[in-house]
Amino acid sequence: MRENNSLSFFMKVTYLFNSGFVVELEKHILIFDYFKGAIDHLDPHKKVYVFSSHRHEDHYNPDIFNFKHPSITYILSDDIDHDGFKVKPHQTYHIDDLSIKTLLSTDEGVAFVVNVENKTIYHAGDLNWWNWEGEPQDFLDDQERIFKQEINSIKDIHFDIMMIPLDIRLENHASDGMNYILSHMKPHYVFPMHCFSHHKEMSQLLNLPPLNQYSIFKIEKRHQIWTLN
């Protein structure tokens, strides 16, 4: 993530692992849900903001506090036991020149809506329609209700980037959450996540209805990079 002034008007997105992404803008670097993966260089001329949506070990790793950078801010769900800027669901926060809206997760913690540099970015954390086979119906009803309630609250926002779970462990219901979002919203760029190492299986799912009607980036490997307008 070395500075290149000729690309200053681009966004650069790097996939780390599972739900971890780095979004680099002209003046800011946003790191979402770091779990594992190498981050070799953080441009010292840009401000770094590290977001952790909740305490689960596949979304949060205390190694984030070892990142080396002269200007780094940690934005943490309030279930994480560490110093940082703590956030709760259904709040709006202003940190430097970032505006951050939080949603209630259907699991733990929050989802993030971040506005910075005239870009609006969504990272779901574990906010998803977790339609697990075999779970009690009242649990499944709550999952659907809360998920739709939270997504409906942001459906009028235009998103430049949305990072949305597509977890193949849900089997026939893996695409329920992503399809609901994309049938109600038209984000510019969409990244699937929460796939662990199942990149091939997730790509196959994107080729099938209903998701094959949308333009969604396919993740093929760790540290995959996209340069976007």
Side-chain angles (χ1 to χ4, degrees):
M1 287 170 283
R2 303 182 190 280
E3 185 173 46
N4 184 335
N5 290 332
S6 66
L7 296 181
S8 62
F9 56 92
F10 287 121
M11 296 181 289
K12 178 178 168 184
V13 177
T14 303
Y15 168 68
L16 298 174
F17 185 67
N18 194 41
S19 298
F21 289 87
V22 180
V23 179
E24 183 169 1
L25 305 172
E26 182 176 359
K27 299 177 181 179
H28 303 76
I29 298 172
L30 314 180
I31 302 174
F32 292 96
D33 278 13
Y34 176 86
F35 162 36
K36 62 173 67 174
I39 299 181
D40 298 325
H41 176 79
L42 295 171
D43 189 331
H45 302 290
K46 301 184 180 186
K47 293 183 178 180
V48 173
Y49 298 84
V50 179
F51 296 81
S52 295
S53 65
H54 61 294
R55 64 185 176 180
H56 288 170
E57 64 178 11
D58 59 326
H59 290 259
Y60 165 69
N61 184 333
D63 285 350
I64 60 176
F65 301 105
N66 297 324
F67 292 163
K68 303 300 183 184
H69 191 274
S71 177
I72 187 164
T73 301
Y74 295 93
I75 301 162
L76 312 173
S77 171
D78 68 352
D79 63 331
I80 294 173
D81 186 18
H82 200 287
D83 290 341
F85 194 101
K86 296 297 185 71
V87 298
K88 299 179 179 182
H90 297 154
Q91 302 294 320
T92 299
Y93 300 92
H94 298 282
I95 303 175
D96 300 333
D97 51 352
L98 279 66
S99 176
I100 303 165
K101 176 182 173 68
T102 55
L103 306 181
L104 175 67
S105 175
T106 42
D107 192 347
E108 287 198 37
V110 300
F112 293 108
V113 175
V114 183
N115 186 269
V116 61
E117 295 189 32
N118 294 316
K119 304 292 185 184
T120 305
I121 298 163
Y122 172 80
H123 188 282
D126 262 352
L127 173 56
N128 191 30
W129 188 346
W130 297 110
N131 197 349
W132 296 105
E133 294 283 356
E135 290 289 343
Q137 191 59 48
D138 58 347
F139 169 82
L140 298 177
D141 289 345
D142 279 346
Q143 286 286 305
E144 179 178 1
R145 177 183 58 80
I146 296 170
F147 173 76
K148 290 183 176 179
Q149 166 189 292
E150 297 303 298
I151 296 305
N152 290 345
S153 74
I154 60 169
K155 67 180 181 181
D156 293 329
I157 299 174
H158 171 73
F159 285 93
D160 296 279
I161 296 175
M162 295 191 83
M163 292 163 274
I164 304 171
L166 183 61
D167 193 326
I168 66 166
R169 298 174 301 169
L170 289 166
E171 298 179 338
N172 292 334
H173 295 292
S175 64
D176 289 359
M178 179 175 279
N179 182 54
Y180 184 84
I181 291 173
L182 298 182
S183 66
H184 289 80
M185 305 170 68
K186 304 297 180 187
H188 199 173
Y189 299 113
V190 179
F191 292 89
M193 66 180 198
H194 214 281
C195 65
F196 299 93
S197 295
H198 304 295
H199 304 130
K200 181 179 178 180
E201 295 89 341
M202 187 174 64
S203 292
Q204 291 171 343
L205 190 59
L206 292 173
N207 290 328
L208 300 174
L211 298 183
N212 63 350
Q213 65 183 300
Y214 307 114
S215 178
I216 304 168
F217 286 112
K218 291 182 178 178
I219 293 175
E220 300 172 343
K221 60 183 179 180
R222 297 189 194 183
H223 305 295
Q224 191 169 348
I225 296 173
W226 298 264
T227 301
L228 312 172
N229 290 321

